[in-house]
Amino acid sequence: MQSAALGAAALGAIGTAAAQTQSSVEKAEHDRSGTNPIGPDNPPLHDENRDSVVPPITDHGNVQSFKYPFAFSHKRTQQGGWARQVTADDLPVATEIAAVNMRLTPGGARELHWHKAAEWSLMLYGNARVTCLDQNGKPFVDDIKEGDLWLFPVGYPHSIQGLEPDGCEFLLAFDDGHFSEYDTVLLSDFVEHIPRDILAKNFGVQQSDLAVLPKQPLYIFQAPVPQTSLDEARRQAAGNLGLSPETFTFHMSGMVPTHKNKFGEVRIVDSRNFKVNNAVAMAHVTVHPGGMRELHWHQNADEWQYYISGNARMTVFAAEQRARTLDFQKGDVGYIKQTFPHYIENTGSEDLVYIELFKDNFFQDVSLNSWITHLPPALVRAHLNISAATLQAIPHSEMITVGYSR
Ligand code: MN
Ligand code: MN
């Protein structure tokens, strides 16, 4: 009986809210109803989240939160660098992708390891040397810099080490929202938990030779800065096996944009141009001031976002009269469920740079503009009541980035 009574009360509240017209809500937000007598709860967050404090009147209903700042994450710092992560534990809507932000000093090493999710990465700053072993047991070694990517498939053992002059900082994304970077198979942890006589027999050495093995997992640790050139490191790794014919890195730093116009540009990297990467597709988007990423949605996967620089706002329409608008800054994670339409507007005076990631082997989207201009015009006009001239003025192809002429 109690739950029935609560249910009736809740229905009553919803009924009252639904009765509020958009214009009365807009008026309320700006008259005494919307005042905040004790002041903003948290002034910096208040200022950064204007579209939550005073939502656009088109926002309505309950939409699962789709923003999480890396600044909220615990930073796990060790000699050699640090890591912090955003998983579905932090951002429950993000079931398809989890991510890590990591810093390594010069020589700082992310220990040799592997795991049960595919690992995609974007180098945000500096230089690193990475290694990976392919499916035929052949080694891969490469040096990468800001703007470059890598992809390590599930179970492939790999490592990352910061180089001179100042190590590196990068973003990792895993194709499982529940994956934790702190739940990986570490070389040090592995050998520590194998009986010493077995380990000695496996290596064909004396147990006494293994007394020096680490007693604790390393995870991130300070190692000597590599003194070998990339060519020399490759020769050392190759031995008489030879190097892998696969390429686990993608030098996006040298890539021309896939699309470019006066409002911005985009670089799309997926299995079509980064062959080994059948796990995570990416669009790296730059939107100039005044521009926006046009209204669109994705047929094939949820979208995971990371904001690299600038300021943005995004509305996600979740169907059935539900919509929410949130503001984003550098270091924030955003997320959009598969098929939910959205735009990303540059709200600042600098370039907005962010990435869109998808758990799939290719990038795919639907442009609202392209769709409604490739239908019988009478059908579209019957839906939207717009004039023939208005329909004709809408861009007739996907532009990715749009805006008024500046
Ligand atoms: Mn890894
Ligand atoms: Mn999108």
Side-chain angles (χ1 to χ4, degrees):
M1 287 306 287
Q2 192 182 15
S3 65
L6 280 171
L11 278 173
I14 290 165
T16 307
Q20 301 256 340
T21 63
Q22 284 197 341
S23 62
S24 75
V25 171
E26 184 176 30
K27 185 167 180 294
E29 284 176 343
H30 296 281
D31 70 15
R32 195 169 175 177
S33 311
T35 52
N36 195 353
I38 60 168
D41 314 312
N42 181 326
L45 285 179
H46 179 278
D47 291 344
E48 283 188 354
N49 296 281
R50 291 287 176 176
D51 286 299
S52 294
V53 177
V54 182
I57 58 167
T58 43
D59 278 10
H60 184 258
N62 188 25
V63 179
Q64 195 175 15
S65 183
F66 51 89
K67 168 180 171 174
Y68 195 92
F70 263 105
F72 284 180
S73 297
H74 168 73
K75 189 180 276 181
R76 178 179 176 180
T77 307
Q78 302 187 182
Q79 290 291 319
W82 52 256
R84 53 184 181 173
Q85 65 180 4
V86 176
T87 74
D89 283 350
D90 310 295
L91 182 63
V93 72
T95 54
E96 294 197 347
I97 290 185
V100 167
N101 176 208
M102 189 178 289
R103 160 79 171 143
L104 296 173
T105 59
R110 171 61 175 95
E111 178 178 3
L112 287 159
H113 72 284
W114 64 95
H115 36 74
K116 62 186 181 191
E119 172 178 319
W120 176 97
S121 179
L122 168 63
M123 189 60 54
L124 298 169
Y125 164 84
N127 302 277
R129 178 165 293 172
V130 298
T131 73
C132 187
L133 193 73
D134 79 7
Q135 68 277 22
N136 296 312
K138 292 193 171 183
F140 172 84
V141 185
D142 200 11
D143 288 353
I144 56 169
K145 64 182 181 186
E146 182 177 330
D148 292 341
L149 313 175
W150 71 68
L151 191 286
F152 300 142
V154 175
Y156 286 37
H158 54 274
S159 66
I160 310 147
Q161 188 172 24
L163 297 176
E164 297 280 18
D166 188 34
C168 57
E169 185 175 335
F170 51 93
L171 187 72
L172 300 175
F174 302 96
D175 63 348
D176 173 2
H178 296 276
F179 178 80
S180 170
E181 160 71 5
Y182 309 139
D183 184 21
T184 64
V185 186
L186 305 178
L187 175 63
S188 59
D189 198 16
F190 170 33
V191 298
E192 187 191 351
H193 293 93
I194 299 296
R196 279 298 155 88
D197 61 320
I198 295 295
L199 206 55
K201 185 184 284 185
N202 184 75
F203 289 155
V205 299
Q206 298 300 313
Q207 283 194 51
S208 58
D209 296 331
L210 302 177
V212 292
L213 292 177
K215 304 288 187 286
Q216 292 290 325
L218 298 169
Y219 183 59
I220 288 174
F221 68 104
Q222 185 61 54
V225 176
Q227 298 299 318
T228 51
S229 68
L230 177 58
D231 284 345
E232 178 59 17
R234 284 174 168 163
R235 266 194 301 276
Q236 290 172 340
N240 52 18
L241 263 182
L243 291 167
S244 174
E246 307 272 16
T247 304
F248 294 94
T249 52
F250 183 91
H251 294 266
M252 190 177 69
S253 53
M255 179 185 180
V256 297
T258 313
H259 300 283
K260 181 179 168 77
N261 60 31
K262 65 181 174 181
F263 305 110
E265 60 190 51
V266 61
R267 288 168 176 78
I268 294 171
V269 182
D270 60 20
S271 60
R272 289 171 287 199
N273 50 358
F274 184 10
K275 302 293 182 210
V276 79
N277 176 9
N278 60 8
V280 178
M282 180 204 68
H284 180 284
V285 183
T286 299
V287 184
H288 301 317
M292 72 174 200
R293 171 81 168 92
E294 68 176 288
L295 282 162
H296 68 281
W297 61 97
H298 305 273
Q299 307 96 311
N300 57 336
D302 293 358
E303 172 175 337
W304 184 95
Q305 301 174 329
Y306 177 77
Y307 287 84
I308 296 170
S309 62
N311 293 83
R313 72 169 180 163
M314 171 167 71
T315 300
V316 172
F317 176 59
E320 298 179 326
Q321 301 186 310
R322 293 175 300 147
R324 176 99 199 261
T325 305
L326 290 173
D327 303 286
F328 294 86
Q329 293 83 22
K330 174 184 178 183
D332 289 348
V333 170
Y335 200 88
I336 307 117
K337 282 291 189 189
Q338 184 176 4
T339 74
F340 285 179
H342 51 282
Y343 67 88
I344 300 96
E345 181 186 31
N346 183 341
T347 53
S349 53
E350 311 278 317
D351 273 358
L352 165 68
V353 182
Y354 74 97
I355 56 169
E356 308 175 359
L357 293 185
F358 306 89
K359 180 184 174 176
D360 204 351
N361 60 356
F362 61 98
F363 174 89
Q364 186 180 42
D365 70 356
V366 177
S367 154
L368 175 64
N369 288 349
S370 183
W371 180 45
I372 64 172
T373 56
H374 293 87
L375 286 166
L379 178 64
V380 178
R381 292 180 57 203
H383 282 76
L384 301 180
N385 301 322
I386 57 177
S387 70
T390 298
L391 181 55
Q392 185 58 34
I394 295 171
H396 280 43
S397 62
E398 179 166 24
M399 294 175 64
I400 304 282
T401 47
V402 296
Y404 290 117
S405 294
R406 287 187 289 147

